[in-house]
Amino acid sequence: MPASTFLSVFAKSPIKPIEEHIRKVHETSEQLLPFFEAVYQKDWAMATEVRKKIVMLEKEADILKREIRVNLPRGLFLPVDRADILELVSQQDKIANKTKDISGRILGRELLIPAELQQDFKQYVQRCIDATQLASDVINEFEELLETGFRGRAVDLVVKMIGRLDRIEKDTDDMQIKLRRALRLLEQDLNPIDVMFLYRTLEWVGDLADIALRVGSRLEIMLGR
């Protein structure tokens, strides 16, 4: 987005760029679905193409983050602290960074997901992306929260959404435990280095849900002040 356009958005609302950033971040994480579909099929050319899109989206999110940091007005009267907003954006950005890291590490090793794990792994990845979607939905209620002075229906809605985020994160913890147990049964038939990478991959993917919950928690902290 050109700087002048970006500044004009800030002039209308200090929150719109933050909402735009979380949407970009979520869009980045969604690319793990086609990325892993290519991995399941051992289609490394396709995985490389999806990875290029992930890198492009992550760069766009990074640009938005920097513009927010530089242009977020100082001394603007808001019921939230500027430092809290910047910390919120920093947490949001970690979702895009983690997505780029996951795709890079999988592609770099051409790591296969064992066929015995793929069905549960697909559901696990989807559930983690459900968390980033909900984090995006929560942040997109931010402007209404400001308009209502952090009171009323909007607060109730956001609190419920953060509760749902907490439940999704617990789901992903349970799914990760199940996958780790299944992987343990396969260990003796796999390359030991691949096994190590597979355990780490389960953790990296689960980090998406953890970070999404931290985004919701940051907003919850701001509500409580």
Side-chain angles (χ1 to χ4, degrees):
M1 178 186 290
S4 59
T5 305
F6 195 82
L7 286 168
S8 70
V9 172
F10 262 118
K12 294 174 184 174
S13 165
I15 303 305
K16 286 293 182 191
I18 298 160
E19 295 175 346
E20 183 179 350
H21 179 260
I22 189 68
R23 285 195 293 271
K24 183 69 68 177
V25 161
H26 169 62
E27 186 182 354
T28 309
S29 70
E30 279 187 309
Q31 291 302 311
L32 285 180
L33 294 173
F35 177 80
F36 277 112
E37 280 301 326
V39 171
Y40 303 143
Q41 297 169 27
K42 305 177 189 177
D43 187 343
W44 300 113
M46 179 58 71
T48 300
E49 288 305 307
V50 179
R51 158 94 174 143
K52 287 178 182 174
K53 186 169 183 182
I54 288 172
V55 171
M56 180 192 71
L57 290 168
E58 191 272 341
K59 283 182 179 175
E60 291 175 1
D62 239 13
I63 291 169
L64 287 170
K65 178 190 67 178
R66 284 197 295 273
E67 289 179 334
I68 290 168
R69 285 176 174 172
V70 170
N71 297 310
L72 186 65
R74 293 179 184 276
L76 185 71
F77 179 76
L78 288 172
V80 290
D81 190 270
R82 184 177 185 274
D84 284 340
I85 291 179
L86 295 178
E87 174 59 26
L88 177 68
V89 173
S90 177
Q91 290 297 328
Q92 291 180 178
D93 205 59
K94 289 178 181 176
I95 293 173
N97 291 340
K98 181 63 68 173
T99 301
K100 186 178 77 170
D101 290 347
I102 292 169
S103 61
R105 289 164 178 170
I106 296 287
L107 189 59
R109 186 164 177 80
E110 295 191 350
L111 181 69
L112 298 176
I113 307 298
E116 296 90 337
L117 300 183
Q118 285 183 12
Q119 190 56 42
D120 285 343
F121 187 78
K122 287 178 186 178
Q123 293 174 5
Y124 178 55
V125 174
Q126 179 61 66
R127 196 62 174 149
C128 290
I129 293 173
D130 288 346
T132 68
Q133 171 70 72
L134 191 52
S136 177
D137 294 344
V138 169
I139 296 304
N140 278 281
E141 294 293 327
F142 202 165
E143 186 155 39
E144 186 172 349
L145 286 172
L146 287 179
E147 289 173 353
T148 59
F150 282 63
R151 291 189 295 272
R153 187 201 67 84
V155 173
D156 294 340
L157 177 62
V158 167
V159 168
K160 287 178 182 175
M161 292 168 82
I162 294 171
R164 284 172 54 202
L165 252 180
D166 194 42
R167 290 192 292 276
I168 290 175
E169 194 270 342
K170 184 178 183 310
D171 285 349
T172 62
D173 283 347
D174 293 342
M175 295 166 94
Q176 185 180 144
I177 290 169
K178 182 180 177 183
L179 279 161
R180 290 170 70 91
R181 287 174 178 162
L183 176 56
R184 186 180 176 188
L185 297 176
L186 301 174
E187 283 179 6
Q188 61 184 357
D189 299 323
L190 299 173
N191 178 304
I193 304 299
D194 284 349
V195 170
M196 182 189 72
F197 267 84
L198 284 166
Y199 278 120
R200 295 292 290 140
T201 299
L202 294 179
E203 292 173 1
W204 294 329
V205 173
D207 285 347
L208 293 173
D210 293 341
I211 300 167
L213 179 59
R214 287 205 291 274
V215 169
S217 296
R218 289 303 310 176
L219 187 57
E220 194 171 32
I221 289 170
M222 292 159 72
L223 286 174
R225 287 182 177 170

